[in-house]
């Protein structure tokens, strides 16, 4: 997110690991609320994808938000189909660790999810939008939060905002990891700077 560390180089498509043609086995239901992990999701639900560092802690941030129907961790924005965690960790798949968030827009706004994203942030990140409205809201929130960070002496935000790529579900043991392992590792650490989204600016 911030210019605090050198960015890992993205492998070229022909340099990426081969991967596999079939999805990895994963959980059928959300460990916390019992909802089906891969759907079908309730009518009217919308999806969002966020990458903000280690996905264990990131997922917990989102499943705690009222109005979120289900969360799942996985991999996105790379080249290797259906990668394993170990493959992603080599840096040779091009993927980010991400969280798929399925939410009821009548109960929680996309702006609230963006606020959660920015304030829970880890330096390596991305917002992967599923609609033009999400892109507009994401870009606006980035500009607002950049202004607040600038007041506190932080560098420029380098978070990527891209159209949502294919999402690959991570292995079973990664899903809702911190609910299964309450004392497990969580590397998230925000800046302590509040994101002003939701205080007068909203997206349809």
């Amino acid at each position: 997110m911030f210019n605090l560390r050198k960015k890992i180089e993205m492998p070229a498509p022909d340099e990426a690991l081969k991967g596999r043609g079939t999805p990895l086995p994963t959980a059928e239901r959300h460990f916390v609320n019992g909802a089906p992990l891969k759907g079908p999701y309730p009518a009217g639900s919308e999806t969002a994808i966020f990458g903000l560092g280690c996905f264990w802690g990131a997922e917990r941030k989102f499943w705690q938000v009222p109005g979120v129907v289900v969360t799942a961790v996985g991999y996105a924005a790379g080249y290797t189909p259906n990668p394993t965690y170990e493959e992603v960790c080599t840096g040779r798949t091009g993927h980010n660790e991400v969280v798929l968030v399925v939410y009821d827009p009548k109960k929680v706004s996309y702006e609230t999810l963006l606020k959660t994203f920015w304030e829970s942030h880890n330096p390596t990140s991305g917002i992967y939008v599923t609609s033009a409205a999400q892109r507009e809201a994401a870009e606006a929130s980035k500009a607002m939060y950049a202004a607040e960070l600038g007041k506190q002496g932080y560098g420029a935000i380098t978070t990527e905002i891209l159209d949502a790529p294919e999402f690959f579900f991570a292995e079973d043991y990664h899903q809702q990891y911190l609910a299964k392992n309450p004392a497990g590792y969580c590397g998230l650490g925000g800046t302590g700077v509040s994101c002003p989204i939701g205080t007068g600016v909203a997206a349809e």
Side-chain angles (χ1 to χ4, degrees):
M1 172 183 169
F2 314 114
N3 294 322
L4 299 178
R5 62 174 71 168
K6 183 179 179 180
K7 186 174 182 178
I8 296 174
E9 290 189 10
M10 183 81 160
D14 60 353
E15 297 172 335
L17 296 177
K18 184 178 179 180
R20 54 205 48 80
T22 56
L24 301 177
T26 194
E28 293 186 4
R29 293 191 171 274
H30 197 278
F31 182 79
V32 177
N33 64 20
L37 210 64
K38 294 186 176 183
Y41 305 126
S45 298
E46 296 184 10
T47 60
I49 300 175
F50 300 100
L52 53 156
C54 175
F55 53 20
W56 292 344
E59 184 185 21
R60 180 170 63 181
K61 289 287 185 180
F62 288 107
W63 86 52
Q64 293 174 339
V65 175
V68 168
V69 176
V70 70
T71 57
V73 296
Y75 316 110
Y79 300 119
T80 301
N82 300 296
T84 66
Y85 181 73
E86 289 74 18
E87 289 171 341
V88 171
C89 288
T90 68
R92 296 177 58 205
T93 72
H95 290 288
N96 281 344
E97 293 182 26
V98 300
V99 181
L100 171 68
V101 181
V102 182
Y103 65 101
D104 182 346
K106 294 181 179 179
K107 296 180 179 178
V108 61
S109 68
Y110 182 63
E111 289 77 14
T112 296
L113 301 181
L114 286 168
K115 182 177 177 68
T116 301
F117 168 81
W118 291 118
E119 293 181 357
S120 304
H121 223 242
N122 189 289
T124 303
S125 67
I127 300 172
Y128 304 102
V129 298
T130 61
S131 67
Q134 283 193 2
R135 176 175 287 278
E136 182 179 356
E139 295 285 3
S141 73
K142 180 177 178 178
M144 285 189 290
Y145 200 49
E148 294 301 310
L149 290 170
K151 295 175 186 177
Q152 302 299 323
Y154 286 93
I157 292 176
T158 58
T159 296
E160 63 183 9
I161 299 174
L162 303 173
D163 288 342
E166 185 172 3
F167 173 86
F168 299 101
F169 285 85
E171 298 88 333
D172 188 350
Y173 74 96
H174 287 299
Q175 304 298 340
Q176 300 83 59
Y177 179 86
L178 292 181
K180 301 170 186 174
N181 303 276
Y185 169 79
C186 175
L188 289 188
T191 62
V193 179
S194 178
C195 180
I197 193 167
T199 57
V201 178
E204 297 298 326

